[in-house]
Amino acid sequence: MLLKSDKSNKTLVLRAFSIIVLLALILRLKDIASFPFNFDEGIHGYYSYILYKTGEYEYLPGYHGPFLYYITAGIFALLGDGIITARLLPALFGVGMVLLLYPIRKHLGVAGFLTTSALFAFSPLFITYSQECRNDVFLTFFTLATVVCALLYLEKKKNIYLMLGAASLALTFTVKENAYITLFIFMSFLVPYHLHEILKSGDRVKATRETSIEIAQKMKTAGPSIIICIAVFLLIYIAPFVMYPNGFLRGWSESFHFWFSKIQLYGQLYLPIPFHFYLELLSRYELPVLILATAGGIYYSFVERNKLMQFTLYWAIASLVIYSFMPYKRSWLSLHMLLPLILLAGAFLGRSFEFLLNEGKIKKKIKGGGCEKGETKKGRHIFAMSIVILLIACFYAYALNNVSSLHYTTPTGEYEGLCQYVKEVTGGKFKATVIVVPGSGDPIPVYWPLLWHIREHNFILAEFPIEINEGTIDRVVKDHENLVFILSKWTAEHLDIFLQEIGYEKRPFDSVRLVVYHPK
């Protein structure tokens, strides 16, 4: 062990961990409102605001699970709606991932626990996406919580951990559809692993019988946990303020069907993104983790056969392969493979430090001197460790200064300018009904951030797959007076002549790819 288990050393470890947690919090809250909402944040913030103001929510698979909207609406109710409050909970859940490591510190070793905590705390990608109102940090938090609870149950055999793990697993499915991929990866490891344990036994019949009895006993023990898992899922999808009572069926089936279809469609409509997209991204922002995880995978596979680390290695490789094969690739999805990579890298780095400080000693005195060769060797090892830490810190400092491109944001001033223009042409009070019409062929939902900026005003959102043509526009104009239309530039290309013929004036906002039409 790197440190002895006496009280003073435990205090030292706790202090070091507290400093890491504090730095993680500072890094995630620092500049949290320095950049505007991106496309996804616009729609997440807008529908959370609607839920907060009206209590109405309908599950739409394209916008992922309801957890983000419920919890964001809750923070809006407590602290008000705004960019900081919308991003506050993702930042805190990002810090929570560091805290989740504390209960499993024995499994990582003292040094591994601290190094893994530090890698999570200073991870450029985790910091970046903990500062956005999106689902992925919540999903990685509950995924890690599920693994932590499973380890605690195996260690302490207390059903409370099984129940907490079941609740965490259920919550992953209420966050985002990636949970299906994670569950597949976990089951594809655990089932063959148990089959292998049976096959390597001398008496396979006896082993099969004993395993069947053991599984039956575990299922009996896990009964309450399974009920909790289903209950949490049902509670989220069929809460009293969900408008549709078939929320369970929609949450379970439609999300899977929708995203499977979208992935296929994405592969047909858009230029293919290279298979090595995630490897390149991780190399650019998480190179120390990638190198250490690779070395750790080799070490734990052939030198120290640690079952937990072998599972983590499989989890990392399977995630990387599956997400790389999917046509739909986005930088924030890298968190789902980065999670096991950091666990593996942190454990290996900690193990290496322990070896350098303890097992690498040569306790032979130098003749004629008052010191031990072991002390000299230890000094060199500490120096080597300091160099490694310094190199990792320098890389992370560089990466954190170059993550702005990952936010996919449009200058907020452009949306504010558009809103101000609409106020001016409607008498300064934004009284007119505003219709935002996204074209059915738009490759980017350019109107999403706008919804956040005009959330406090009355407007009609005509959203595809509603067919927008001259007939529908004509009917809307007859039913409402003094309308202002905000169209995507793709839709405007089809309706421009018609709108100008009926007396509308055009004002394009090219930087946000929107066009405003208002009565002359």
Side-chain angles (χ1 to χ4, degrees):
M1 295 293 289
L2 176 63
L3 297 170
K4 296 180 181 179
S5 58
D6 55 55
K7 185 176 179 180
S8 61
N9 282 331
K10 285 182 178 180
T11 303
L12 182 62
V13 171
L14 185 58
R15 287 177 179 174
F17 179 64
S18 300
I19 292 172
I20 292 172
V21 172
L22 180 61
L23 291 173
L25 180 64
I26 292 172
L27 288 171
R28 282 155 178 77
L29 295 181
K30 179 179 177 291
D31 301 326
I32 196 171
S34 62
F35 54 94
F37 268 3
N38 58 36
F39 296 111
D40 290 339
E41 287 184 292
I43 203 70
H44 295 160
Y46 170 69
Y47 280 116
S48 298
Y49 177 82
I50 294 299
L51 177 57
Y52 155 56
K53 284 294 185 180
T54 67
E56 296 179 355
Y57 171 81
E58 178 187 358
Y59 171 65
L60 298 171
Y63 300 149
H64 305 302
F67 179 85
L68 179 144
Y69 303 101
Y70 292 179
I71 199 168
T72 307
I75 202 71
F76 283 172
L78 290 174
L79 303 177
D81 58 293
I83 287 183
I84 294 178
T85 49
R87 291 172 172 167
L88 180 60
L89 288 176
L92 295 180
F93 271 73
V95 178
M97 293 188 67
V98 182
L99 292 171
L100 280 174
L101 298 174
Y102 187 78
I104 59 169
R105 59 195 181 280
K106 291 182 180 178
H107 295 273
L108 298 171
V110 175
F113 161 60
L114 292 176
T115 52
T116 306
S117 301
L119 290 177
F120 270 119
F122 306 131
S123 164
L125 290 176
F126 267 109
I127 290 172
T128 299
Y129 293 117
S130 293
Q131 293 180 324
E132 292 187 3
C133 181
R134 61 170 64 253
N135 311 74
D136 297 273
V137 168
F138 294 127
L139 181 54
T140 52
F141 174 88
F142 288 120
T143 301
L144 180 58
T146 302
V147 173
V148 168
C149 289
L151 291 173
L152 291 175
Y153 173 74
L154 292 174
E155 176 188 344
K156 300 182 179 181
K157 303 299 181 184
K158 292 183 178 180
N159 288 343
I160 183 63
Y161 298 117
L162 202 59
M163 295 177 185
L164 290 173
S168 297
L169 181 62
L171 286 169
T172 64
F173 291 99
T174 70
V175 175
K176 197 175 181 182
E177 295 73 20
N178 304 56
Y180 293 109
I181 297 176
T182 305
L183 181 63
F184 169 77
I185 292 171
F186 286 3
M187 295 306 296
S188 65
F189 177 87
L190 294 174
V191 172
Y193 174 78
H194 283 291
L195 289 176
H196 174 71
E197 292 296 311
I198 294 173
L199 292 175
K200 77 176 184 180
S201 174
D203 189 344
R204 294 182 181 178
V205 176
K206 182 180 179 181
T208 303
R209 188 187 310 113
E210 291 177 350
T211 302
S212 301
I213 295 172
E214 183 181 355
I215 291 174
Q217 291 175 342
K218 287 183 177 179
M219 289 298 294
K220 183 177 179 181
T221 303
S225 301
I226 295 173
I227 294 173
I228 289 174
C229 182
I230 296 173
V232 169
F233 187 87
L234 288 172
L235 178 65
I236 297 293
Y237 277 100
I238 317 180
F241 46 85
V242 176
M243 295 194 303
Y244 295 93
N246 61 340
F248 173 75
L249 294 177
R250 297 190 68 184
W252 193 267
S253 61
E254 287 192 21
S255 61
F256 181 83
H257 179 266
F258 176 88
W259 284 102
F260 184 77
S261 302
K262 183 173 181 178
I263 287 171
Q264 290 181 315
L265 183 64
Y266 189 90
Q268 298 170 4
L269 294 180
Y270 299 95
L271 292 174
I273 298 176
F275 179 83
H276 56 79
F277 172 80
Y278 292 113
L279 271 178
E280 183 179 342
L281 184 74
L282 292 170
S283 299
R284 187 181 307 160
Y285 296 105
E286 301 283 353
L287 185 60
V289 169
L290 204 56
I291 294 173
L292 290 168
T294 302
I298 297 171
Y299 175 78
Y300 288 115
S301 296
F302 300 104
V303 180
E304 182 182 327
R305 296 182 179 275
N306 184 304
K307 291 181 180 178
L308 173 60
M309 290 300 113
Q310 288 174 347
F311 161 72
T312 307
L313 174 63
Y314 175 82
W315 178 9
I317 293 175
S319 298
L320 186 60
V321 170
I322 290 174
Y323 282 98
S324 296
F325 268 111
M326 290 169 56
Y328 183 82
K329 296 182 179 71
R330 289 293 182 267
S331 56
W332 49 84
L333 296 178
S334 63
L335 298 188
H336 304 287
M337 56 210 79
L338 182 58
L339 167 57
L341 285 172
I342 288 181
L343 291 173
L344 188 60
F348 175 71
L349 182 60
R351 187 70 186 88
S352 301
F353 285 173
E354 287 183 347
F355 174 80
L356 289 174
L357 286 178
N358 295 324
E359 298 179 27
K361 290 181 181 179
I362 301 174
K363 298 182 179 179
K364 183 177 180 181
K365 289 187 177 181
I366 300 175
K367 293 182 179 180
C371 64
E372 292 185 352
K373 187 181 284 188
E375 292 177 2
T376 305
K377 200 78 172 178
K378 183 177 179 180
R380 293 174 183 172
H381 290 165
I382 292 175
F383 177 75
M385 289 164 49
S386 301
I387 294 297
V388 170
I389 293 172
L390 180 62
L391 288 174
I392 294 175
C394 289
F395 180 88
Y396 276 176
Y398 169 79
L400 284 170
N401 283 326
N402 293 274
V403 295
S404 57
S405 61
L406 296 175
H407 288 299
Y408 297 99
T409 57
T410 301
T412 188
E414 297 296 331
Y415 288 105
E416 292 174 353
L418 186 152
C419 294
Q420 183 61 36
Y421 179 75
V422 173
K423 288 181 180 180
E424 291 174 1
V425 299
T426 56
K429 294 186 178 180
F430 217 113
K431 286 184 177 179
T433 303
V434 178
I435 301 185
V436 181
V437 185
S440 58
D442 290 0
I444 301 175
V446 293
Y447 70 101
W448 283 2
L450 178 64
L451 296 182
W452 171 256
H453 288 281
I454 62 175
R455 65 190 182 278
E456 297 179 355
H457 305 289
N458 294 322
F459 62 92
I460 298 173
L461 175 62
E463 195 169 11
F464 66 84
I466 296 174
E467 184 180 358
I468 303 300
N469 51 43
E470 295 181 7
T472 56
I473 293 291
D474 191 36
R475 287 195 299 273
V476 172
V477 171
K478 289 180 180 179
D479 293 338
H480 301 274
E481 295 182 358
N482 209 27
L483 284 180
V484 172
F485 292 91
I486 305 177
L487 284 72
S488 68
K489 70 174 186 178
W490 293 275
T491 305
E493 291 174 359
H494 299 289
L495 299 175
D496 181 73
I497 296 176
F498 170 74
L499 286 171
Q500 293 193 59
E501 285 179 351
I502 63 174
Y504 274 76
E505 185 174 331
K506 174 183 178 181
R507 167 68 186 274
F509 289 81
D510 294 330
S511 62
V512 292
R513 289 164 282 191
L514 292 170
V515 183
V516 175
Y517 289 87
H518 61 87
K520 293 181 180 179

